[in-house]
Amino acid sequence: MITASPTSRLSSPVRDWRELWREAITDAGELLRTVGLGQHAERLPPGDAGFALRVPRGFAARMRHGDPRDPLLLQVLPQLAELDEAPGYATDAVGDLAAREARGVLHKYRGRALLIASGSCAVNCRYCFRRHFPYGAEIAAAGQWRQALDHVRRDATISELILSGGDPLSLATAKLEELARGLADIPHVTRLRIHTRLPVVLPERIDDAFAAWLAALPQQKVVVLHANHANEFDAAVDAACARLREAGATVLNQSVLLRGINDDADTLAALSERLFAAGVLPYYLHQLDRVQGAAHFEVDDDAALALMGALRERLPGYLVPKLVREVAGDAAKRPL
Ligand code: SF4
C-alpha cells in the first residue's frame, strides 16, 4: 500500500511500514548476496547461532556494497564467534529477570518502571542484551496491558514509564492507543519514554497515525533512539526524527560501543555530529552488556576511556555521550 507523504519533508510517497516489515531479509545468505558478498556465505554459523537474522531492506541498502567490514552489516550478520562460550558472559546480562515485578514489568530504578512492550524488533542486533530474553511469557501489551498497568497504578512512586522490548513501535498504533487509554487514570505517570530503533532502521514507522498518537499524549514524552554509526542515517531517518520532534518529543540517542564498528574517535565524533544534524542529542554510550554470544564486540574499559577523552577534545560537551555500564542490581547506570 502507498500512503501520502507524512510531512512536507518527505516529498515522495511512503510505503506502509507493515509491508516493509514483512519484506525484511531473514536469511543470512540473502543478506550477503544483497550487499555483493555472496562468496562469504560459508563463514556463516549454523542456524544463525540461535538468534534469528532480521534486517529491513532499507537498512541493508545503507550498507556499503562489497565491504565485509561495513559497520551496519557487522551489527546484524551472524558470526561464528557467537558460538564461543566466553567466561563472565550470561544469558541475562543485566539482571532483567530479578527486576521483574509483574507481567512484562521491570523495575530497576527509582521513579521509573520499564515495560517489555513487545518481543519483536525490526532488526535483530547481534550484540542485543536481550537476545536470550524469554519474551513469550513477558509481554506487557498482552491482555490490553492490564497486568502491567495495574502494577503501575498501585505504585505512586512511578512517574516515568519506559516502553522497551523488543521494540515498542513494533506494536500497531491501535495497541499503543490502548495503552494511552489505560494511562489516563494514572496521574502519577507524568512522563512516557520510548526506547526504539525503528525510526532508524524502518523510518516509515513514524507515519501519520503514530505521529498523531504521540502528539496527543498528555504526558511529557521522550524518544530514545538507538543508532551506532553515522551511516545509519539518511533523508528518511532525518524526516522520522523531525516528525518525532514536531509531535512534542525530546529525542535522544543511545549507542553501544562495538569493536570493529564504532570504536574509534572519528566514527564516534561523526555519529554525534550526524545525530545533531538530525535534531537528536547523544545520551548514552553503553559499554557492551556481557550477553552470551556477543563477546567479540567488547571494547576494554581503558580503550573506551581513551575514546571519551578524544571525543571531549574535539566536540562540544552536549555532543559527548555519557559512557556507562549497566551492572545488575545497581540503583543507576554506572559511569566509567
Ligand atoms: S533493536 Fe534493541 S532490543 Fe531489538 S535486537 Fe536491537 S538491541 Fe535488541
Side-chain angles (χ1 to χ4, degrees):
M1 194 209 306
I2 304 283
T3 59
S5 168
T7 71
S8 56
R9 289 164 203 276
L10 285 177
S11 52
S12 55
V14 176
R15 289 190 57 204
D16 186 284
W17 69 275
R18 288 156 291 202
E19 277 182 22
L20 294 166
W21 180 294
R22 285 193 291 274
E23 291 172 8
I25 298 172
T26 56
D27 177 77
E30 183 188 356
L31 174 62
L32 285 172
R33 289 191 296 280
T34 302
V35 298
L37 293 167
Q39 71 275 21
H40 290 250
E42 77 264 12
R43 293 189 215 158
L44 293 169
D48 288 345
F51 185 44
L53 176 135
R54 169 168 279 277
V55 185
R57 288 177 192 276
F59 190 72
R62 291 172 236 160
M63 297 172 186
R64 288 189 297 255
H65 203 78
D67 182 357
R69 306 305 305 163
D70 177 82
L72 278 55
L73 177 67
L74 291 179
Q75 293 180 50
V76 298
L77 185 70
Q79 305 280 347
L80 282 166
E82 293 175 40
L83 301 174
D84 297 342
E85 292 237 343
Y89 282 70
T91 51
D92 181 12
V94 292
D96 277 344
L97 298 178
R100 180 196 183 279
E101 293 208 333
R103 184 182 195 171
V105 182
L106 308 185
H107 201 155
K108 293 184 179 177
Y109 305 135
R110 195 158 123 186
R112 288 148 281 168
L114 182 147
L115 302 191
I116 301 288
S118 159
S120 301
C121 290
V123 70
N124 282 347
C125 314
R126 306 313 300 179
Y127 51 85
C128 178
F129 68 118
R130 293 208 176 109
R131 60 180 285 169
H132 306 286
F133 191 83
Y135 286 116
E138 290 298 337
I139 301 301
Q144 283 86 40
W145 306 85
R146 193 159 296 121
Q147 278 192 38
L149 288 178
D150 283 350
H151 176 81
V152 173
R153 192 175 289 110
R154 282 195 298 269
D155 186 345
T157 69
I158 299 170
S159 58
E160 178 169 317
L161 198 59
I162 302 169
L163 297 188
S164 181
D167 198 310
L169 298 198
S170 65
L171 297 172
T173 302
K175 199 77 193 164
L176 297 172
E177 287 165 353
E178 237 173 55
L179 173 70
R181 285 193 292 275
L183 284 173
D185 70 344
I186 311 182
H188 55 264
V189 173
T190 56
R191 221 164 31 238
L192 193 66
R193 186 186 340 162
I194 302 173
H195 285 187
T196 177
R197 193 146 159 68
L198 263 157
V200 177
V201 301
L202 192 64
E204 294 82 359
R205 173 65 185 96
I206 311 305
D207 59 8
D208 287 346
F210 176 77
W213 172 80
L214 188 64
L217 287 173
Q219 296 86 8
Q220 287 189 300
K221 42 240 171 188
V222 182
V223 176
V224 183
L225 304 178
H226 172 186
N228 300 311
H229 196 283
N231 291 4
E232 293 175 45
F233 283 77
D234 64 7
V237 178
D238 287 342
C241 294
R243 298 204 87 192
L244 295 170
R245 292 198 317 279
E246 286 159 11
T250 298
V251 187
L252 309 172
N253 181 67
Q254 53 184 347
S255 305
V256 182
L257 185 58
L258 297 165
R259 195 201 311 169
I261 292 173
N262 60 9
D263 59 334
D264 68 89
D266 287 346
T267 299
L268 289 173
L271 173 61
S272 281
E273 298 276 10
R274 188 63 185 85
L275 285 165
F276 195 65
V280 181
L281 280 172
Y283 171 38
Y284 278 146
L285 177 63
H286 290 267
Q287 266 295 38
L288 185 79
D289 295 320
R290 290 184 174 133
V291 66
Q292 249 176 48
H296 55 293
F297 287 114
E298 184 161 37
V299 177
D300 70 50
D301 285 357
D302 287 346
L305 288 166
L307 282 170
M308 293 307 292
L311 282 187
R312 278 192 294 272
E313 282 174 11
R314 68 168 79 183
L315 292 172
Y318 59 88
L319 291 186
V320 179
K322 292 178 212 155
L323 178 67
V324 293
R325 167 174 285 126
E326 181 167 347
V327 178
D330 273 14
K333 301 272 188 298
R334 194 178 286 188
L336 267 78

